[in-house]
Amino acid sequence: MKARFLLCAAMGLFIVAGGFWQPHDPDAVDMTLRHALPSFEHPLGTDHLGRDLASRMMIAGWRTASVVLAVGAIGFVGGSLAGTAAAILGGWREQITLRAAELFIVVPTLIWALTAAAIFGLSPVTAGIALGLAGVGPYALLSNSLTHRVLGQPFVHAARGLGVSSPRLMARHVLPNTLPLIFVYVGSQAGQAVVAYASLAFIGLGSDPSKPDWGSMLFEYRMFVFDHPMLMIWPGLAIVAMTALLNWVFEHRPGS
Amino acid sequence: MTAHIVRIGLRSAASLLAVSALAFLVVAFMPSDPVMIAIRAWNLPVDETTISALRTEWGLDRPFPARYLSWLADFVTGDWGRSFRTGEPVLDEFSSRLPLSLGIGLGGLTLAAFAAIPLGFAAALKPDGVADRLSRLLAITVQAVPAFWLGLVLIWVLGVQLRLISPFSAGIDVMALAGGLVALHSTGMLARVYRRDLIEQTMQPYYRTALAKGLTRRQALWRHGHSSALYALLSAMRSEAGWAIGTTAALEVLFGLPGVSQFLVQSISARDHSVLLAYIMVVAGWMLAMNAGVELAMRRLDPRAAR
């Protein structure tokens, strides 16, 4: 357990550091150094415009991490609040909330994000907000069913009998019991968010081509698959590594 | 049964209506003005008369609810508007591209369901055996590896190294590859769901009775566990259906296949809002149809589940 969090912290630190410092300017074009092989100067080599691949990967990692943070925060906070509040209020207000949550599930998360990207352009901010808002639905349904389970417990009846108000009941008695379970779900959502953001950037709706993302790099470099396959190997490996690490750290072992 | 079908149909129609209202609202908030885009696209003179004439023609001067209702009436009667970019009716564009996208998505899902059952069964028959490890590895891998990157790697391996397929050709081999990639993800997930439910059945008293009667493990699992596990598998198909849309979209872009998602990507730079709206409606229709189909199949398997 400890090793997992250390590894995750190390990767987080690496990504944050990579967001603020890169060995080269990621957008510096050097036509004399096109498709350079890996060297001490350029650890992963350069691309078709002579840009340093490692620097571009680092910026892209930071952008992906900010999407994951936004998606996790918005989905987690919004969804657990909406689901819990709906369960406590009950009645028609609960029905409306649950129907609204299901509405977001009818159209898959990626399609809502695609729509948002098409309208507002793709950036870590818009993608994070769109994927996060679309993710509120599943969180709300999950926290709603968990809350119903807690609401049946004797200590909740006791608290209600003592005249505890609904917001206080939610904050003191319900959320501390449901949040750890909802948090497990954050892990699998975070992994999916990495893949979803990469897909959005790959599809490229309204994305800014001058800003590197792992997904958009894969789109840009796919044409060099014949002569320079390593260009498309590195961003893909980065997506896989980040998703696998997130899934592994938050992994919900059956029975635990 | 008929009453049940009618109820599912009505509920799906209500959901579709709600999605259409939400989508129309989102698209109406588009920061760019369709009139200015059309003027630029068609090289019209930028003056007051042209702008107001176009606004009146498209009904943009009317209040929002009226615009929504008239759009809805047109949409239901088959008038999906015209694409800015190609000038063709959106409905025609979609109906010529939809078979390809549906073929990849639905073909992949069907393939996955048929592959997941033997794999999951073998995994449940011998926990921690070869099939069990293989299916677990597959499930973990497909969660972390995006299908479009795997497709890119396969283009390199199959197309460049082995020269088995011709990449970016939109031929039958590339379409089969896309379907297979959709199937791979769903196979991994569905096989685990199917296996988990089968294992749960082995804890049940009737399973032990079947063993005591002299059935082999394989026979007992198939006769007494399969239909329950199939129920769980069908239920998981719903979330896989949503996943398949996203994967199909990325694969269409990767392989250059002329499907609906590729059409959307090409249209979006022209801020073609009727195409965007039609796309959302088609996706919602696909999800609702999958939900309804799964629900009906689940009801056939277990009539008690009627809610």
Side-chain angles (χ1 to χ4, degrees):
Chain A
M1 209 58 187
K2 215 159 190 185
R4 291 181 183 205
F5 283 104
L6 276 179
L7 199 66
C8 200
M11 177 131 179
L13 201 69
F14 178 75
I15 282 174
V16 172
F20 291 101
W21 177 87
Q22 304 89 27
H24 298 270
D25 178 0
D27 298 323
V29 173
D30 184 355
M31 293 310 266
T32 57
L33 254 180
R34 299 172 67 220
H35 296 301
L37 291 172
S39 61
F40 184 72
E41 186 72 0
H42 299 283
L44 299 181
T46 59
D47 68 2
H48 60 295
L49 295 175
R51 295 174 293 192
D52 181 52
L53 195 60
S55 304
R56 288 173 69 75
M57 297 269 302
M58 286 164 91
I59 281 274
W62 169 241
R63 286 164 67 87
T64 307
S66 40
V67 170
V68 171
L69 281 179
V71 170
I74 295 173
F76 184 64
V77 173
S80 47
L81 277 183
T84 313
I88 289 179
L89 289 170
W92 60 272
R93 284 171 289 200
E94 179 174 20
Q95 285 302 316
I96 287 184
T97 314
L98 293 188
R99 287 292 96 77
E102 278 169 7
L103 198 65
F104 275 97
I105 300 177
V106 167
V107 177
T109 311
L110 190 72
I111 304 302
W112 283 123
L114 209 68
T115 312
I119 296 175
F120 302 107
L122 183 72
S123 70
V125 180
T126 54
I129 292 175
L131 286 171
L133 283 179
V136 165
Y139 275 108
L141 292 182
L142 178 73
S143 66
N144 185 263
S145 69
L146 288 173
T147 306
H148 270 294
R149 216 179 289 167
V150 175
L151 284 182
Q153 302 280 333
F155 63 84
V156 173
H157 292 303
R160 278 209 165 139
L162 286 169
V164 173
S165 66
S166 287
R168 201 176 150 79
L169 184 76
M170 185 164 148
R172 291 295 297 273
H173 299 282
V174 176
L175 283 179
N177 282 296
T178 56
L179 281 187
L181 289 170
I182 303 172
F183 198 67
V184 170
Y185 190 63
V186 174
S188 75
Q189 284 293 92
Q192 283 175 23
V194 175
V195 176
Y197 182 59
S199 308
L200 283 176
F202 181 78
I203 292 174
L205 282 186
S207 69
D208 182 352
S210 68
K211 295 275 190 293
D213 274 309
W214 289 335
S216 59
M217 285 165 82
L218 283 175
F219 184 78
E220 204 179 347
Y221 298 152
R222 80 191 190 294
M223 285 309 172
F224 304 107
V225 64
F226 300 101
D227 302 318
H228 305 281
M230 285 319 280
L231 276 181
M232 63 95 186
I233 295 290
W234 288 117
L237 280 183
I239 298 170
V240 173
M242 190 154 168
T243 317
L245 193 69
L246 282 169
N247 283 340
W248 181 62
V249 168
F250 287 92
E251 190 186 46
H252 178 55
R253 287 198 177 280
S256 69
Chain B
M1 197 67 191
T2 324
H4 195 69
I5 294 176
V6 169
R7 209 170 62 225
I8 292 180
L10 282 178
R11 211 177 57 208
S12 305
S15 302
L16 206 55
L17 202 64
V19 167
S20 77
L22 193 61
F24 197 83
L25 193 71
V26 171
V27 173
F29 272 112
M30 241 174 175
S32 49
D33 186 358
V35 174
M36 297 313 286
I37 295 162
I39 286 176
R40 242 174 284 133
W42 298 331
N43 281 324
L44 297 173
V46 187
D47 54 35
E48 279 302 315
T49 38
T50 327
I51 292 175
S52 59
L54 276 174
R55 290 191 80 83
T56 321
E57 193 190 330
W58 289 339
L60 290 173
D61 48 353
R62 286 182 295 153
F64 178 78
R67 268 159 59 198
Y68 169 64
L69 286 179
S70 73
W71 170 79
L72 191 66
D74 283 348
F75 191 86
V76 171
T77 50
D79 178 8
W80 290 13
R82 263 173 199 282
S83 159
F84 275 146
R85 197 172 54 86
T86 62
E88 297 292 313
V90 175
L91 184 60
D92 293 357
E93 298 277 6
F94 267 69
S95 45
S96 68
R97 287 175 166 86
L98 208 51
L100 181 98
S101 304
L102 272 183
I104 294 175
L106 207 56
L109 281 178
T110 317
L111 194 66
F114 280 107
I117 290 175
L119 184 61
F121 193 82
L125 205 57
K126 206 171 168 201
D128 267 330
V130 179
D132 196 15
R133 280 156 199 255
L134 193 76
S135 73
R136 192 181 308 147
L137 184 71
L138 182 65
I140 292 172
T141 312
V142 293
Q143 273 178 36
V145 182
F148 63 89
W149 184 59
L150 197 56
L152 200 51
V153 173
L154 283 177
I155 286 180
W156 178 53
V157 175
L158 297 178
V160 182
Q161 300 295 313
L162 303 175
R163 298 188 187 278
L164 286 176
I165 58 164
S166 37
F168 312 120
S169 67
I172 192 82
D173 47 354
V174 175
M175 270 148 67
L177 187 61
L181 283 169
V182 172
L184 199 65
H185 180 274
S186 300
T187 306
M189 306 314 283
L190 294 177
R192 292 311 281 177
V193 169
Y194 185 78
R195 171 203 168 270
R196 196 181 58 213
D197 203 83
L198 274 185
I199 296 277
E200 263 169 39
Q201 300 303 310
T202 61
M203 320 282 183
Q204 300 291 332
Y206 55 75
Y207 177 77
R208 258 175 259 149
T209 311
L211 286 186
K213 261 176 20 188
L215 263 64
T216 62
R217 208 177 136 74
R218 181 190 301 267
Q219 286 169 326
L221 260 186
W222 183 253
R223 284 202 202 150
H224 299 282
H226 169 68
S227 56
S228 161
L230 190 63
Y231 189 85
L233 184 143
L234 279 175
S235 170
M237 281 285 270
R238 285 188 280 204
S239 59
E240 284 305 312
W243 188 267
I245 298 175
T247 312
T248 309
L251 289 176
E252 277 173 20
V253 173
L254 168 63
F255 294 123
L257 295 171
V260 278
S261 300
Q262 205 206 27
F263 182 58
L264 176 80
V265 173
Q266 290 164 347
S267 305
I268 234 50
S269 49
R271 293 280 181 260
D272 213 333
H273 66 272
S274 44
V275 174
L276 185 55
L277 272 176
Y279 184 76
I280 298 175
M281 293 302 283
V282 165
V283 169
W286 149 266
M287 285 300 284
L288 289 166
M290 286 299 288
N291 268 336
V294 164
E295 205 163 305
L296 283 176
M298 281 164 73
R299 205 184 132 83
R300 268 190 78 91
L301 276 176
D302 184 4
R304 287 174 306 177
R307 279 179 294 151

